Amino acid sequence: MDSSLLFNIATLLYLAAMVLYISYLAFKKNGIGQVASIVTYAGFAIQTFALLTRWRESYQMDIGRIPLSNLYESLVFFTWSTVLLYIIIEFKYKTRAFGAFVLPVAFLALAFINVAGISNDITPLVPALKSNWLFYHVLISFFGYAAFGVAFAVSMIYLLLDTDERGPVVNIVAGIVALLVLASVGYVMAGNGLKTAFWLGLGVLVLAWFIFLIVSGAKHKAQIYLFWSFCVTLAIGMLVALGIDFLYLKAFQHIEAGESLKKHLFEATFVNPSTPVVFISWAAVVGLLFLIWFQGMRLKTFLKQYVPPLNQLDEVTYRMIAVGFPLLTGGIITGAVWANSAWGTYWGWDPKETWSLITWFVYAIYLHARYVRGWKGSQMAVISAVGFLAVIFTYLGVNLVLSGLHSYGGMN
Amino acid sequence: MENKKGFVDIFSERVWKFFSSVKLAVVLLIILAIVSVIGTVIAQNEAPEKYLQEYSQAFVNLFEVLGFFDMYHTWWFVLLLFLLTANLTVCTLDRLPPTLKIITAPLKPIEDESLKALPFKREIIIKAGRGKAEELSVKTLTRHRYRFITTGGPDETQLVTQKGVYSRLGYIITHVSILLVFIGALLGAFFGFKAFLNLPEGRASKVVYLRNEPMWDKIMDTLGVAKSPVIPAADGGLPAMPIGYYVVCDSFDVDYYINAAGIPTGMPSEYHSTLSVYDLQERKILDKRIRVNDPLSYHGITFYQSSFGAIPEGKGKIKLNVRRKNSPAAQTEPVVLDPGQAVYVPSIDRTFKALSFNPYGIRNPATGQVQFFQTENNEFINPTVELEVSRGKGSKPLYKTFIMKTEAGEPSFPEDYTIEFVEYWGARYTGLQVTKDPGVWVVYTGFIMLCVGPVIAFFGSHKKLWVRIQDRKGQTVVTVAGSANRNRIGFEREFNKIADELAK
């Protein structure tokens, strides 16, 4: 059996598990929950086997490398470690409530990769990537990312449950107007060669908002709810846009094996050559944001029956970050050791390194706020969310948006 | 007498207080996180023309003044790092005495007053009497792997115990590890250097060309204490640093991945150079074949495979190996010749003439036809020599053949010998990244501690437990109380288990 067939079976099992977990939430039948768990374990076992098979296949092709070195393989590994972590949590906290949130992520990620089916060729490694440190670096980093991913999901649930009411409609309208104004300012500035200035300014504004939420969020629940809506929109919007991308690329574009998908990201939506498509995409995002903001309270009433109490959610978030932080540290360190063995520089302020350090700073702030200041609750959930935004940027944004050592393909 | 503090005392106290605040740490982390972003958005250390393509002149000037083009080495960014380090040091020193006090504090029996403050406590009445209660308590604590001390008098007995007290050192290990990384980085900047060396095949060098001069040498030279060993470049190039020995490039080559049809794809699988080290008296000390990820280190200086290139107007020599079929490998005869040159090969009594050299030849597996391709960047993807073979010392040509690297002497030759391509030598240089970093082991020590510290800090827990057995109005009352500084939920579970076992 070849690995792609096994990956497909695992994907289908995760789909079944996702449906089962959601029906478990809806019907509250323990039997369904047990079946959901068993299906998840089976999917996980098969995915593990598939990863090992792929590893063996690479040896049969005389390339012989760990299945962890391109976007395809790292996404597969990301879902694998997320499911592994979820299984551990299910065992430890004896609750299946999170399954309905984690399994969809695992399934969607795997489905997108499978639908894409484009760059799953086992391509040989460039010489610099031939190092055992690469294996440890990627392995440890991805476990860390998965832990932070779970922390993010739980924080999102926390923030929603902690909101009493969504607040006046003027909030979301102001938020959307701000988005539109910023977008047009950005458009005008980019046209005048002020692109960098715009992005720096936008970054400052966003950071100022984050800091405001963290420092005085407790008094401004409506703002936190708005933040929640943005985060959820971002997560869903990105997943859906990626899905459309893959479908579009598969249907209309020919992509050569081994060619990076990075160049084509969001080509079907936000960076499409046709202006109407771009316009519709952004309108859809704004619509989604409004919908999520408007319907959030319904989701809350629904969720409230199934999830553990708030203080336990807070504890799970902390636990996940306490697990993720040493892993992130280990990921940065193994990356540094690897760089030192390849180039004689353990730290070069390359964008990817810098962003992983920024992420590290954010979670260091989280841990100090908790240990030294004793902070708990919604502020911490906000920091955890900001941390995960930094993780996403480190993982995808740097590869896709910024250039760096990590995205190079040869020497010189 | 009035105890008046002097200005210096007050000032130093204020400075200490300022640097010992966690708020400062958080503020510094936020500032560092924010400004670090700038250097990832603006490409660092690019050529000035590139910046002018991207930004207007006014912005280039502004960014230049702010140091945004080499942001992580500007004085203000380094100052921020220093502030964070000072903050980290003071914070750690400030909290060290209380932590040590907790660690070294002797276990004391608990009083009613302090009992109130403990988060976990339970009273159990045991009917079997005090002796039995004591026995049960000892057994239970031992079963849970607590080593305890026993105190008490006529009215009460107490078993006092703790676990994981050294986990309180976790944050100190973490902080010290970060300090070590910082100190190691400083050591590297002061006493180390980064340099490069483009070394043609067959050439030697006793200097490398500096990108960063060791700061220490520079300072000592400026102060007039010691002359810097660095040799300034006469023609505006990079200054040279003597390394105290010769490094020689014996050969450089690139291997390429070969596809299923046996044809090299042009995708490099490995770059490697064979380097030798000779002392200044020209005695050979060692040699090593270096690859990417596997450098050569000698006397604290490390040579990394980093790039390669063609020597301008450099002519290479073709190196071949000739061997009679079925003869041992030791009877191989090396043949060296220039393109266009003819050479007599005594062991087989033939003359070879190299008609041409091509960097990328592919033999069609079906027809046997050989085709040549262009390569970029002076790559020799499948070097191929067209060889004319004549009998004896060069009479009439017998036949022509192609000798390819990938075929390694494999294809059948019309006569009783094989010809193997070895290399095309002397036309290229190997690009070496050269570094000296005496701080790297300090950094690595920091790394190891940084892997351990947070784990101890987050998952270790200092747990304290008291079991007090009292006779009260003819009843034996056992009071269990405890506290934990981490993972309260886990400790609560353990505590309840112990209490339940005592209540049985």
Side-chain angles (χ1 to χ4, degrees), chain A residues 40-51:
Chain A
T40 308
Y41 305 155
F44 180 74
I46 288 177
Q47 203 191 354
T48 312
F49 186 61
L51 278 169

Side-chain angles (χ1 to χ4, degrees), chain A residues 71 112-119 240-257 259-269 271-273 400:
Chain A
L71 201 60
F112 289 155
I113 305 163
N114 280 349
V115 165
I118 315 169
S119 65
V240 172
L242 281 171
I244 295 174
D245 257 354
F246 282 127
L247 290 173
Y248 167 79
L249 289 176
K250 191 160 168 77
F252 299 111
Q253 303 272 20
H254 177 70
I255 291 192
E256 289 198 21
E259 190 188 348
S260 160
L261 281 178
K262 291 167 199 163
K263 279 181 248 156
H264 301 282
L265 204 86
F266 300 133
E267 211 167 67
T269 48
V271 290
N272 196 278
L400 302 170

Side-chain angles (χ1 to χ4, degrees), chain B residues 1-32:
Chain B
M1 205 177 85
E2 223 181 341
N3 188 5
K4 249 195 174 171
K5 279 182 181 169
F7 170 75
V8 176
D9 287 334
I10 294 174
F11 183 73
S12 60
E13 209 168 87
R14 286 229 174 129
V15 170
W16 184 267
K17 213 169 171 193
F18 174 74
F19 276 112
S20 69
S21 101
V22 181
K23 230 181 208 166
L24 177 70
V26 170
V27 169
L28 283 172
L29 286 177
I30 292 175
I31 294 175
L32 273 170

Side-chain angles (χ1 to χ4, degrees), chain A residues 62-63 92 123-131 193-194 196-197 199-200 204 207 211 312 315 318-319 321-323 325-326 329-330 332-333 336-346 348-352 354-355 357-358 360-362 364-365 367-369 371-373 393 402-403 409-412, chain B residues 22-23 26 29-30 32-34 36-42 44 54-56 59 63 68 72-73 77 81 84 95 175 178 181 184-185 194 257 267-271 291-295 304-308 377 433 435 437 439-440 443-444 447-448 450-451 454-455 457-459 486-487 489-490 493:
Chain A
D62 261 351
I63 295 168
K92 197 136 189 230
T123 45
L125 287 177
V126 297
L129 296 182
K130 284 183 171 177
S131 165
L194 297 171
T196 310
W199 283 109
L200 286 177
V204 169
L207 281 165
I211 292 170
Q312 216 167 324
E315 181 74 16
Y318 156 68
R319 285 293 181 85
I321 289 175
V323 169
F325 189 76
T329 312
I332 294 174
I333 287 173
V337 173
W338 170 34
N340 195 38
S341 75
W343 298 286
T345 314
Y346 48 82
W349 294 104
D350 148 74
K352 190 124 181 162
T354 309
W355 269 96
L357 187 69
I358 291 169
W360 194 82
F361 283 159
V362 175
I365 291 170
L367 291 162
H368 282 90
Y371 284 145
V372 186
R373 303 246 123 194
F393 201 85
L402 309 167
S403 60
M411 308 255 292
N412 295 321
Chain B
V22 181
K23 230 181 208 166
V26 170
L29 286 177
I30 292 175
L32 273 170
I34 293 172
S36 297
V37 176
I38 300 171
T40 66
V41 175
I42 299 170
Q44 300 287 291
E54 215 173 326
Y55 313 113
S56 66
F59 266 99
F63 288 168
F68 281 1
Y72 304 105
H73 301 104
F77 192 81
L81 290 177
L84 185 71
R95 284 161 182 73
H175 287 179
I178 296 167
V181 171
K194 295 218 179 310
Y257 284 107
M267 178 159 187
S269 69
E270 200 60 88
Y271 303 85
R291 302 175 295 121
V292 180
N293 280 316
D294 186 16
Y304 298 85
Q305 181 68 61
S306 137
S307 64
F308 68 93
N377 308 324
Q433 169 90 22
T435 62
D437 189 352
V440 77
V443 173
Y444 277 15
F447 280 174
I448 292 167
L450 195 52
C451 287
V455 175
F458 302 156
F459 300 103
R486 293 268 188 279
N487 190 9
I489 296 174
R493 231 176 278 147

Side-chain angles (χ1 to χ4, degrees), chain B residues 247-275:
Chain B
V247 58
V248 181
C249 173
D250 296 329
S251 75
F252 166 80
D253 206 3
V254 186
D255 294 336
Y256 295 87
Y257 284 107
I258 292 172
N259 69 11
I263 293 163
T265 55
M267 178 159 187
S269 69
E270 200 60 88
Y271 303 85
H272 48 84
S273 307
T274 306
L275 301 182

